Amino acid sequence: MAAALRLIDPCAPLAYAAVADLAGLGGVEATVLRVVSGLAPHLAITVEQAARNIPKRERGVAFVSIDLTARSDDLTIVINSWKVALTVAKRNPGARVCVWQHVVPGRHNRVMAADLASANITLLCVSDSLLKTLANMLNAPVRMQVLYNPISDDLHPNEIRHDPDLPIFTSAPHKGLDQGLPAFSALRTSIPGMRLELADPGYLAWPVGDLPAGVTRLGSLPHDQVIARMRAALCLFYPQQRFAETFGLVIAEANAVGTPALVHHSLGANDEVASDPSQCIDGRDANQIADRIHDWRSQRPQVRANSAFRLRNVLNAWQQLLAAEPVAAFS
């Protein structure tokens, strides 16, 4: 197993080192903290952040500013930026370098394939869906493997009674809320008593205009309060068809606490992460949405967490990465 891990985050707009720092940030940063905190008892970890000016040590992890001039033989993981990864690889020949890919790069980044292949840089994809998307997009052999985003080991259904008239939307507004609100209004014509809660993580300002009748904005809530609202809801209401989740942490977490997620089929990782196929519908079809909600108001599907997404199992996969030789190129 590698003796040390260097993780570089050139993307986060705010410095973070603890859960309390995540206000205004998203699932990527929460995932980073879960992984490094879980691995810290086993090896030395340094997290370099573009937004950090003052070094900090938290739970055995060193959080510092980025220094791309530094020389290091440690396994280096770069979040989302293949160009930064290339810079690191060129400065540290022979070191293992990976890009932890949480997003789909723009089509103009197809040229990255040849550079990544020549530098032996591995793409770590957060879902099988993302790996397949990138494999289709790139046109040169590139090392790729899947490391899921983790959900907490202690997320389980409990005895809290859910409200059969209350779905919830817990993603950032740019993730299809402009399609979700009209879909909810159409649903409300079929079931007049329905209400919808909106919990916005708050990391991106996005105009949504006037809210339709029956919709309540909860604002940006701490993660434990979001989970509590998920438990109380009939379902996660996410029938939008535009934003392709590369993993869909909110879907995985909702299922983990027993709350079904109403998602558009064949979009991003929706079908992969949703633990019961009845959750995947045609989000363009108002009748199909209404029929599924009618069914769930009487009897919700028994959804549970995919054990592969549990933090303990994701950490095991990371430990295998730390101990392994580079994977074969995917061509």
Side-chain angles (χ1 to χ4, degrees), residues 99-103 122-135 138 143-149 246-247 272:
V99 179
W100 192 1
Q101 197 68 42
H102 293 261
V103 299
T122 301
L123 284 177
L124 306 176
C125 305
V126 296
S127 65
D128 294 297
S129 169
L130 179 58
L131 186 149
K132 292 174 184 175
T133 296
L134 293 177
L138 305 176
R143 300 182 189 278
M144 302 172 70
Q145 67 183 95
V146 173
L147 284 174
Y148 295 120
N149 284 343
T246 55
F247 180 75
E272 179 182 350

Side-chain angles (χ1 to χ4, degrees), residues 242-327:
R242 182 179 303 121
F243 187 90
E245 294 280 8
T246 55
F247 180 75
L249 193 60
V250 295
I251 301 169
E253 290 183 331
N255 280 191
V257 299
T259 301
L262 190 75
V263 298
H264 183 63
H265 65 78
S266 305
L267 178 68
N270 285 356
D271 297 73
E272 179 182 350
V273 174
S275 65
D276 185 283
S278 71
Q279 298 173 96
C280 302
I281 51 93
D282 186 344
R284 301 164 298 185
D285 188 333
N287 291 328
Q288 196 172 137
I289 293 172
D291 289 347
R292 195 57 42 90
I293 293 295
H294 273 294
D295 291 344
W296 287 357
R297 292 176 80 234
S298 300
Q299 182 66 52
R300 297 197 305 179
Q302 297 294 308
V303 297
R304 294 293 185 268
N306 182 332
S307 62
F309 304 155
R310 290 290 189 192
L311 178 60
R312 61 181 180 274
N313 293 323
V314 173
L315 290 178
N316 285 338
W318 273 92
Q319 288 169 342
Q320 291 174 30
L321 171 73
L322 290 159
E325 293 299 318
V327 298

Side-chain angles (χ1 to χ4, degrees), residues 16-88:
Y16 58 94
V19 172
D21 302 329
L22 293 176
L25 296 173
V28 174
E29 294 79 21
T31 291
V32 169
L33 288 185
R34 286 179 186 145
V35 169
V36 299
S37 296
L39 294 175
H42 307 288
L43 75 165
I45 301 177
T46 300
V47 178
E48 300 182 17
Q49 299 170 334
R52 178 167 294 281
N53 297 316
I54 301 173
K56 185 175 184 179
R57 193 166 189 86
E58 186 79 28
R59 296 190 177 186
V61 178
F63 294 85
V64 301
S65 59
I66 289 180
D67 182 6
L68 296 183
T69 67
R71 298 295 298 271
S72 174
D73 294 328
D74 299 334
L75 171 63
T76 300
I77 311 290
V78 179
I79 297 177
N80 285 334
S81 176
W82 64 274
K83 293 182 179 179
V84 170
L86 278 177
T87 298
V88 172

